[in-house]
């Protein structure tokens, strides 16, 4: 019967397979075996694409540095004053885990500087020749955390990727520094926050500009609708014709009156022909508005003539007590035009106020 817990020791690290539980213990800790590529790459690359390389690197480095105090006390510190020997022992252990071949080319405890080189690191193997690469932040976090303990001071590890040798390698230049992973995270988050705020301000400015543009379009369309609903036509020098058609309501009559008075003033018109022939329906409020137009034109010194006044509209005006006394009325626009043009030919030029 096969052993349900086969065990072996690799680089002084015990490895135990608990087959009944489906577990793998490496150095006494529960572990899992994954292919670096595609499994780990497919697991991590979407996160890199989502948060960006810089933030991803710092988050991974911070996370990997959290357990380094235990690593140091459990393996490195046992070497006593020969700290570099303990670091090499730790390096042999991680090599057994498939992290890469650990080397320590330079180590100066007094100066707080060192060079760590890892050949064939798992992070570079995982990324391979893919279009997306983000270096070795996991190993960088481990190195920073271990050497903070080893030198008993704050350190930083600059990462240098080497792809020119027999295989991929990463080198970490360790040196004293006031930088911390947490500080770098805060700095990056602040930069990203400011960039996001700037982006939001830009979006708000663009949205406000677009809103102003749409308001202008709406205003232009409203002016066009008003012009189309009651075109004001200069038919002769000083003579304006306003043909009205369809249903005339108060809401429609008010802007027509406003625009007409403006045009009379700006064009120094002396005669206005209000053509009601095409109206199919007029409500009581609009009927009163017609009388208001006539009165307002008189105050501006322009004579108003009404064309095509229907019996129904005339009866409504009488019932409402609205009088058009003194206002010329015509059956057709042609009659009104002949009269108005004849009058303007005979009238001397007026001095407009």
């Amino acid at each position: 019967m096969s052993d349900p817990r086969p065990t072996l020791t690799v680089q002084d690290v015990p490895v135990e397979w608990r087959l009944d539980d489906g577990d793998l213990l490496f150095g006494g800790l529960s572990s899992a075996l994954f292919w670096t590529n595609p499994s780990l790459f497919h697991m991590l690359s979407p996160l890199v694409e989502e948060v960006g390389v810089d933030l991803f690197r710092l988050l991974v480095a911070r996370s990997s540095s959290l357990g380094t105090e235990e690593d140091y006390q459990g393996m490195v510190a046992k070497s006593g004053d020969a700290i570099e020997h303990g670091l090499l022992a730790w390096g042999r252990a991680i090599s057994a885990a498939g992290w890469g071949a650990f080397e320590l080319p330079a180590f100066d405890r007094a100066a707080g500087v060192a060079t760590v080189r890892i050949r064939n690191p798992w992070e570079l193997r995982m990324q391979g020749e893919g279009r997306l690469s983000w270096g070795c932040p996991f190993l960088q976090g481990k190195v920073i955390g271990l050497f903070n303990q080893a030198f008993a001071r704050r350190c930083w590890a600059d990462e240098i990727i080497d792809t020119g040798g027999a295989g991929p390698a990463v080198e970490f230049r360790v040196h004293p520094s006031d930088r911390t992973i947490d500080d770098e995270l805060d700095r990056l988050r602040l930069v990203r926050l400011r960039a996001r705020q700037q982006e939001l301000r830009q979006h708000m400015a663009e949205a406000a500009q677009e809103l102003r543009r749409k308001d202008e379009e709406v205003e232009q369309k409203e002016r066009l609708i008003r012009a189309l609903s009651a075109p004001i036509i200069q038919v002769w020098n000083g003579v304006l014709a306003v043909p009205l058609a369809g249903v005339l309501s108060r809401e429609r009559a008010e802007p027509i009156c406003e625009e007409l008075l403006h045009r009379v003033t700006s064009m120094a018109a002396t005669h206005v022909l209000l053509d009601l022939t095409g109206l199919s329906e007029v409500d009581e409020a609009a009927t009163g508005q017609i009388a208001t137009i006539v009165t307002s034109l008189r105050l501006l010194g322009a004579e108003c003539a009404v064309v095509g006044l229907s019996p129904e509209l005339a009866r409504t005006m009488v019932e409402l007590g609205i009088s058009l006394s003194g206002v010329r009325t015509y059956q057709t626009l042609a009659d009104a035009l002949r009269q108005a043009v004849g009058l303007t030919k005979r009238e001397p030029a007026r001095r407009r106020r």
Side-chain angles (χ1 to χ4, degrees):
M1 185 176 181
S2 61
D3 185 357
R5 294 190 176 185
T7 304
L8 56 82
T9 300
V10 180
Q11 298 280 56
D12 298 326
V13 179
V15 183
E16 179 183 347
W17 286 265
R18 296 187 174 182
L19 302 180
D20 289 343
D21 298 331
D23 197 3
L24 169 65
L25 270 61
F26 186 86
L29 299 176
S30 179
S31 307
L33 183 65
F34 292 97
W35 288 296
T36 54
N37 196 323
S39 298
L40 284 176
F41 181 78
H42 288 171
M43 187 186 304
L44 297 178
S45 57
L47 300 177
V48 179
E49 292 177 336
E50 183 69 23
V51 304
V53 171
D54 292 341
L55 182 57
F56 178 83
R57 281 181 54 86
L58 287 171
L59 289 172
V60 171
R62 181 183 185 279
S63 178
S64 68
S65 71
L66 296 179
T68 50
E69 183 176 356
E70 290 79 2
D71 290 345
Y72 183 83
Q73 295 299 331
M75 189 169 296
V76 179
K78 292 180 179 179
S79 62
D81 288 338
I83 299 297
E84 61 270 35
H85 293 258
L87 290 169
L88 288 171
W90 179 84
R92 288 192 296 273
I94 68 169
S95 296
W99 288 12
F102 183 92
E103 300 172 357
L104 191 64
F107 181 86
D108 187 335
R109 187 176 184 181
V113 296
T115 299
V116 174
R117 183 176 176 84
I118 302 175
R119 292 182 290 104
N120 200 28
W122 73 270
E123 289 175 283
L124 294 185
R125 294 200 312 270
M126 172 185 61
Q127 294 160 58
E129 301 297 327
R131 63 176 179 82
L132 186 63
S133 60
W134 55 88
C136 300
F138 181 87
L139 292 171
Q140 184 186 32
K142 287 293 185 185
V143 169
I144 290 174
L146 279 175
F147 280 86
N148 279 344
Q149 300 289 327
F151 292 152
R153 66 175 73 176
R154 188 176 292 177
C155 299
W156 190 260
D158 296 325
E159 176 188 292
I160 302 171
I161 303 296
D162 181 8
T163 58
V170 61
E171 191 168 279
F172 295 106
R173 306 284 177 83
V174 182
H175 56 87
S177 174
D178 291 332
R179 297 170 67 187
T180 68
I181 298 175
D182 285 336
D183 289 343
E184 291 298 301
L185 268 172
D186 290 341
R187 181 192 61 79
L188 179 60
R189 285 169 175 152
L190 181 59
V191 169
R192 289 165 69 97
L193 176 61
R194 287 174 176 170
R196 180 57 179 161
Q197 289 174 336
Q198 179 61 32
E199 183 180 349
L200 287 174
R201 284 193 291 267
Q202 180 66 25
H203 285 331
M204 290 175 65
E206 291 174 355
Q209 184 177 2
E210 179 66 13
L211 184 59
R212 286 193 296 269
R213 187 186 66 80
K214 289 186 178 297
D215 286 342
E216 291 173 356
E217 287 182 355
V218 170
E219 185 177 350
Q220 290 175 356
K221 289 177 181 178
E222 288 177 346
R223 287 197 298 266
L224 179 60
I225 290 171
R226 287 197 297 268
L228 292 174
S229 64
I232 300 172
I233 307 167
Q234 184 176 6
V235 294
W236 193 260
N237 185 28
V239 181
L240 300 179
V242 187
L244 299 175
V247 178
L248 184 63
S249 63
R250 179 175 183 177
E251 290 74 16
R252 184 183 173 202
E254 286 181 348
I256 292 173
C257 178
E258 180 182 347
E259 180 66 16
L260 177 57
L261 297 179
H262 171 72
R263 294 282 291 275
V264 167
T265 303
S266 62
M267 300 176 68
T270 58
H271 292 76
V272 175
L273 309 180
L274 199 59
D275 187 359
L276 312 180
T277 307
L279 289 181
S280 59
E281 183 181 338
V282 182
D283 63 22
E284 292 185 2
T287 302
Q289 196 72 29
I290 292 174
T292 300
I293 293 175
V294 173
T295 304
S296 300
L297 291 172
R298 284 176 175 171
L299 292 175
L300 291 177
E303 183 177 339
C304 180
V306 175
V307 179
L309 181 63
S310 67
E312 293 79 9
L313 181 54
R315 184 168 54 254
T316 302
M317 287 183 169
V318 171
E319 291 172 353
L320 295 175
I322 298 173
S323 174
L324 294 180
S325 61
V327 177
R328 288 190 174 91
T329 59
Y330 299 92
Q331 289 298 314
T332 67
L333 184 59
D335 294 338
L337 283 172
R338 281 193 293 268
Q339 180 67 22
V341 171
L343 289 173
T344 55
K345 285 182 177 180
R346 294 195 298 269
E347 289 177 352
R350 296 183 181 180
R351 177 181 295 177
R352 302 309 299 265
R353 289 189 260 174

